[in-house]
Amino acid sequence: GAGVSQTPSNKVTEKGKYVELRCDPISGHTALYWYRQSLGQGPEFLIYFQGTGAADDSGLPNDRFFAVRPEGSVSTLKIQRTERGDSAVYLCASSLNGDSSYEQYFGPGTRLTVT
Amino acid sequence: KQEVTQIPAALSVPEGENLVLNCSFTDSAIYNLQWLRQDPGKGLTSLLLIQSSQREQTSGRLNASLDKSSGRSTLYIAASQPGDSATYLCAVYLGNEKLTFGTGTRLTIIP
């Protein structure tokens, strides 16, 4: 079956602009996660959804970052007033539910470059 | 705060050799540990998931072990092939819905 997909694969934007990054999880997966990976680092947690609600948004760096999952499937990560430090690969993952028994399956990521 | 360390940061070995990648974590109260690989420009592919009650998991030429009490895991790759070249990440799950990742080991298999 189809895996996790993310669009766009690459996004270049100017400092101060608004961007949206999209994630389509594996069908039937109720848990969805966003991570951010800077060059040479491992991914860092941003936010976790169980169904439509954000169960844990403790990883969002500041209030410029926001994410939604209105119908419990597709999720959008929104970044306002982008800064050069936001440049990274944004990864989305999904799992069957939030239970520890289940693996998280990752998408290919969106590479965001803020100029 | 959970910290995950992977040593070495980079490793090059001739094709055909067996090798071991190391992962250590500071908080032993983990629910599971996952090994993943990352190819340049691509996402993460899950390789093995070890639950906290397990000691090891095997898939093909890969074997992962877990020693919770000492905060360590190893990924053993047998008979390495050029296609194994990638960055290998370990990640621990504390039951708080998020994975905590190490910084990875960049593996190069020399043909």
Side-chain angles (χ1 to χ4, degrees), chain B residues 38-53:
Chain B
Q38 185 170 35
D39 294 277
K42 297 185 180 180
L44 302 172
T45 302
S46 180
L47 299 172
L48 290 164
L49 174 70
I50 311 177
Q51 300 294 344
S52 62
S53 59

Side-chain angles (χ1 to χ4, degrees), chain A residues 33 35 37 41-43 45 48 56 58 91 98 100-101 103-104 106-108, chain B residues 31-32 34 36 38 42-44 46 49 51 93 96-99 101-103:
Chain A
Y33 311 80
Y35 294 85
Q37 186 175 24
Q41 301 296 315
F45 170 80
Y48 156 64
D56 184 349
S58 61
L91 295 164
S100 64
S101 303
E103 294 173 62
Q104 293 186 21
F106 285 80
Chain B
Y31 278 64
N32 65 42
Q34 200 169 343
L36 309 98
Q38 185 170 35
K42 297 185 180 180
L44 302 172
S46 180
L49 174 70
Q51 300 294 344
Y93 182 77
N96 55 359
E97 293 88 37
K98 55 197 171 196
L99 291 173
F101 284 83
T103 52

Side-chain angles (χ1 to χ4, degrees), chain A:
Chain A
V4 178
S5 61
Q6 292 185 246
T7 55
S9 55
N10 281 283
K11 176 71 177 177
V12 180
T13 190
E14 294 180 347
K15 179 175 177 295
K17 299 290 187 182
Y18 168 83
V19 296
E20 289 189 353
L21 312 179
R22 176 189 168 108
C23 171
D24 280 89
I26 293 172
S27 178
H29 281 193
T30 63
L32 185 146
Y33 311 80
W34 284 98
Y35 294 85
R36 179 169 72 172
Q37 186 175 24
S38 301
L39 192 63
Q41 301 296 315
E44 293 182 331
F45 170 80
L46 294 176
I47 186 169
Y48 156 64
F49 287 90
Q50 182 59 254
T52 60
D56 184 349
D57 64 357
S58 61
L60 294 177
N62 52 59
D63 61 5
R64 295 187 298 105
F65 289 74
F66 188 71
V68 295
R69 194 185 186 200
E71 298 179 356
S73 178
V74 170
S75 176
T76 304
L77 178 65
K78 308 180 180 190
I79 310 174
Q80 299 177 322
R81 305 183 302 279
T82 52
E83 300 177 356
R84 292 194 180 88
D86 298 335
S87 296
V89 175
Y90 290 80
L91 295 164
C92 175
S94 70
S95 69
L96 192 59
N97 60 41
D99 188 274
S100 64
S101 303
Y102 299 102
E103 294 173 62
Q104 293 186 21
Y105 295 89
F106 285 80
T110 293
R111 181 175 298 278
L112 175 66
T113 304
V114 182
T115 62

Side-chain angles (χ1 to χ4, degrees), chain B residues 40-103:
Chain B
K42 297 185 180 180
L44 302 172
T45 302
S46 180
L47 299 172
L48 290 164
L49 174 70
I50 311 177
Q51 300 294 344
S52 62
S53 59
Q54 297 174 321
R55 289 278 187 167
E56 64 178 325
Q57 280 284 346
T58 298
S59 176
R61 294 181 294 109
L62 305 180
N63 177 277
S65 68
L66 174 63
D67 185 341
K68 264 185 60 174
S69 60
S70 66
R72 293 179 183 177
S73 176
T74 62
L75 179 66
Y76 175 83
I77 303 177
S80 58
Q81 303 171 357
D84 295 332
S85 297
T87 295
Y88 289 80
L89 293 160
C90 75
V92 298
Y93 182 77
L94 290 174
N96 55 359
E97 293 88 37
K98 55 197 171 196
L99 291 173
T100 301
F101 284 83
T103 52

